[in-house]
Amino acid sequence: MARTDRLMRLMDTLRRLPQPVTAARLAEESGVSLRQLYRDIATLRAGGALIDGAAGVGYTLTEDKALPPQSFSRLEIEALMLAQSGLEQIGDATLIEAGRNAMARIVATLPDGQARQAMHTVLRSWRQKDVRPPVRVDLDLLREACWQEFSLSITYRDLQDRVSTREIWPLGMSYAEDTLLLLAHCRLRMDYRHFHVSRIEAMTRGPESFRPKRVSLLREYVAGRRQSRPGSSSGS
């Protein structure tokens, strides 16, 4: 894990767990040794984080009161918590944890009254569990390929159970009620395709980089979709 990500995760853990938090618990949550944890605590303190406590006692994070608190309306708080609730239903474990950490960071900066509202929202998201088929490939790698714009080599079983191996340029994912779809530019067909992620049987990092083409490819895809709609026409 990158140093910046590790320190951010440590801050999120301090916000999320009941305080004071023991060094052993923080080390376990952060996936580091106790020695590394003490170094990370020192780094955060040097960077301005107000962390009270010491080894053997436990640590307490005090948010910097010099920073202006965030302020949201009651409905905005409900909307944020509803989005988090929906993520809990459709996301994978890594994405769910990221959402929880982000929400904990937001709530930690709210005034007391609004923080209490966030803990007692009335809106909830619900969906039937186990509707989508399980995903067998590494979603972290898939997200990274979309962000960093590198190709993937996949083995794919289509809806007619035909198996093929192909190189793709992954562009983005869509979370639907019953499936997780990947939009990609297929280098075998040289066209845009939607792949059911649950039907990808194997996936490895490919040899190509398509940076910085992702935005232009998405624009081309959207323009093509608009032209293919009934009643649409193209200019001369």
Side-chain angles (χ1 to χ4, degrees), residues 185-203:
H185 193 272
C186 176
R187 309 308 290 165
L188 176 65
R189 307 300 183 194
M190 294 304 293
D191 200 0
Y192 298 97
R193 292 289 188 270
H194 280 102
F195 297 96
H196 291 258
V197 178
S198 63
R199 302 186 73 85
I200 301 177
E201 299 188 341
M203 181 177 69

Side-chain angles (χ1 to χ4, degrees), residues 31-58:
V32 299
S33 66
L34 280 173
R35 179 177 295 181
Q36 181 63 58
L37 175 77
Y38 297 144
R39 287 198 293 261
D40 288 345
I41 291 289
T43 299
L44 290 174
R45 283 171 166 168
L50 303 179
I51 302 174
D52 297 325
V57 177

Side-chain angles (χ1 to χ4, degrees), residues 27-182:
E28 179 184 359
E29 291 282 335
S30 303
V32 299
S33 66
L34 280 173
R35 179 177 295 181
Q36 181 63 58
L37 175 77
Y38 297 144
R39 287 198 293 261
D40 288 345
I41 291 289
T43 299
L44 290 174
R45 283 171 166 168
L50 303 179
I51 302 174
D52 297 325
V57 177
Y59 294 96
T60 299
L61 174 66
T62 303
E63 295 291 341
D64 191 349
K65 302 303 182 182
L67 295 175
Q70 298 190 70
S71 182
F72 298 96
S73 70
R74 183 63 186 261
L75 189 58
E76 288 171 339
I77 292 173
E78 291 278 357
L80 288 170
M81 300 304 289
L82 180 62
Q84 172 61 27
S85 175
L87 179 60
E88 298 273 348
Q89 302 294 323
I90 67 172
D92 60 280
T94 303
L95 197 59
I96 291 171
E97 182 183 9
R100 288 173 179 169
N101 290 339
M103 190 57 64
R105 196 176 309 152
I106 291 172
V107 172
T109 63
L110 293 176
D112 290 344
Q114 292 184 350
R116 287 193 295 271
Q117 291 175 1
M119 301 303 294
H120 300 285
T121 52
V122 300
L123 303 182
R124 292 290 185 272
S125 174
W126 180 89
R127 63 183 290 272
Q128 184 179 350
K129 291 187 177 295
D130 301 323
V131 172
R132 291 185 312 190
V135 172
R136 289 169 285 183
V137 294
D138 184 359
L139 287 177
D140 287 339
L141 175 62
L142 185 50
R143 283 188 286 262
E144 191 69 17
C146 293
W147 293 333
Q148 300 300 326
E149 300 173 1
F150 59 78
S151 66
L152 292 170
S153 298
I154 65 170
T155 300
Y156 187 71
R157 184 180 297 272
D158 67 18
L159 297 177
Q160 287 74 46
D161 278 338
R162 296 172 299 200
V163 178
S164 63
T165 300
R166 59 184 80 190
E167 199 88 8
I168 61 171
W169 289 356
L171 302 175
M173 290 185 285
S174 299
Y175 288 79
E177 178 72 18
D178 58 353
T179 190
L180 174 58
L181 290 176
L182 168 68

